Amino acid sequence: MKANFLKHLPNVFLIAVFFCFITVKSLASELSDDHKKFNAGEMIIHHIVDSHEWHIAEIGHTHISVPLPIILLTEGKIYSFLSNRLNETSEHGVKAYGEFIYNHGHFEAKNGSRVYDFSITKNTAAMMISVLLLMFIFLGVAKSYSTNQGKAPKGMQSLFEPLIIFIRDEVAKASIGPKYEKYMPFLLTVFFFIWGNNLLGLIPIFPGGANVTGNVAVTLVLAVFTFAITTITAKKYYWSHIFLPDVPKALYPLLIPIEIIGMFLKPFVLMVRLFANITAGHIIVLGFFSLIFIFGEMNPGLGFGVSIFSVAFTLFMSMLELLVAFLQAYVFTLLSALYFGSAVEEHKHAEHH
Amino acid sequence: MELIQPGLGLMFWMTVTFGLVLFVLTKFAWKPILKALKERESSIEDALNSAQKAKLEIQKTQAENQRILDEARIERDKVLKDAQATANSIINQAKEKAGDEASKQLESARLSIQSEKNAALTEIRNLVGNLSVDIAEKIVRKELQSESSNQALVQQYLNEAKLN
């Protein structure tokens, strides 16, 4: 297995370099198109945040992007159209369609009423693609368990089985204890969802490249799921630990608020950790590329010189990000499991508190 | 869209999609997979346990066999020894009996020889006696023809009888 991996390593390396150059090319074309000073911060933020269209590249003046459905809710009515129907206006960065104005990534109604944006954005679409992929893979794996019953695992099944067993034995059983079984589906889903999206985020071209797990809305929903499951399944000891801590009564006014804050802080930290780690990874990779253009503006030769180091560092960072992709999925799953463990924990002397 | 401001639409779609994928995968993937894994693990464990049991069983049987074999060997040795002893005693008995018989026969032979001898002697004695009487009678008949000689003879006999 190891020898096999090493055999393919040059190919992996070539593919990685190839993808790096594709990204360089798309960035370079952006730069030449705008004919304005390269702003690394703006470019990086543009690539990290969500957007209403899936931008792939610009070649010359031609934008290559996948149009995405815009769904707007205003005054109880739903409006829906594709993002490529937005028309340019005289003002820079402002577009319009029918009753709506698109101003720097936000929709406003011309009559000033509140607009709720339920668009299938780039991250939504990427997340949905990843979910379809997850379902395709794991329904297939589940099927091979019934067709391959009582035999050694094969193919995809043998790829994912060690991970499933790892989550079950090292994460769920170790952190939750004997009641781990009811939490397994959530832990497995969240682990493979995060890992899959982290990996897809590392692929620079469509349908990858979206910063799904580095989006605070996504990590917020995941953290809320963990929080909700913890709170709903919490047993007596969990609540007694918060509202009747094992300290003198005089300390209650101090400790109870701290415990309540801690209850919300745990999922909040989950949300921030995943978001920050993944976003930071993307920022570092894009930062290395920006160096090429920052130096390239001073002198094209210097830009090419720096590109060697930039690509090398990006390659290194991409390898590191592969590790981080797994690690963050593991950490999120492990901490969720620990919170579930604290929710179902039962002490023998819990009655005395 | 801001970096740290969660988008409403994305939150909505994320909740819906994640909830859906959680439901679908739980029902159609995780539960069957975990069940299959558990079943396989328990069947492997059962197989290992029964193999272990079979191993112990075999060891036990082997020990039993060895024990039976040892016992049989001891039994055989004992039987052989007994047989040897019996044979020896039978031979000894036979020898003794033969010896006894021989000495008994010798004894009876001796006795019969003795009695035969005695009988023969008696017969001889009788014969000699008769002969003597006959001779004596003849002599006496002849001697009685002269008185003096009779007297002398009687005297002689008397003397002889005294000596006896």
Side-chain angles (χ1 to χ4, degrees), chain A residues 171-172 174-177 179 183 226-227 229-231 233-242 259 262-263 266-267 334-347:
Chain A
V171 177
S175 316
I176 301 172
K179 289 171 189 165
Y183 298 105
T226 297
F227 175 74
I229 291 170
T230 309
T231 312
T233 60
K235 295 276 186 294
K236 199 177 141 197
Y237 180 73
Y238 175 81
W239 297 115
S240 77
H241 189 73
I242 291 170
E259 289 286 353
M263 213 171 105
K266 284 170 181 172
L334 179 69
L335 288 173
S336 294
L338 282 172
Y339 300 157
F340 298 155
S342 74
V344 293
E345 188 182 17
E346 266 172 88
H347 277 218

Side-chain angles (χ1 to χ4, degrees), chain A residues 141-155:
Chain A
V141 169
K143 200 177 153 218
S144 56
Y145 272 97
S146 59
T147 54
N148 215 6
Q149 202 171 15
K151 290 182 197 152
K154 269 198 253 177

